[in-house]
Amino acid sequence: GRVQTLHSSDLRGLDERDLLSQREKEILAQIAAGLETKDIAARLGIAEGSIGPTRARVLAKLRAILENL
């Protein structure tokens, strides 16, 4: 799949609590805990294939924030 490119202007006006969706936060927490894709999917009851696109979205959002620091 194609990695989404976000710029800091795409995030303007968002409250920091709304930057990541609840699902993105859940997946990010599992990634930070060192879990593998299959384990994250099993814990959250979602398809393994949905983890990669969500990870890419989270990284794109974080990258856009860091560009603006």
Side-chain angles (χ1 to χ4, degrees), residues 43-60:
R43 279 191 178 196
L44 299 179
I46 58 177
E48 274 186 60
S50 67
I51 305 296
T54 302
R55 178 186 292 123
R57 232 180 2 266
V58 167
L59 291 175

Side-chain angles (χ1 to χ4, degrees), residues 7-67:
H7 301 283
S8 57
S9 61
D10 297 327
L11 305 175
R12 251 185 230 124
L14 281 180
D15 185 293
E16 64 185 29
R17 292 168 294 182
D18 298 327
L19 180 60
L20 298 177
S21 71
Q22 186 59 40
R23 178 61 80 196
E24 289 169 338
K25 290 174 188 175
E26 291 168 349
I27 290 175
L28 181 59
Q30 301 299 312
I31 292 169
L35 287 151
E36 294 184 20
T37 300
K38 64 181 180 171
D39 299 319
I40 296 170
R43 279 191 178 196
L44 299 179
I46 58 177
E48 274 186 60
S50 67
I51 305 296
T54 302
R55 178 186 292 123
R57 232 180 2 266
V58 167
L59 291 175
K61 289 178 179 182
L62 296 176
R63 197 173 299 118
I65 291 168
L66 292 174
E67 287 174 359

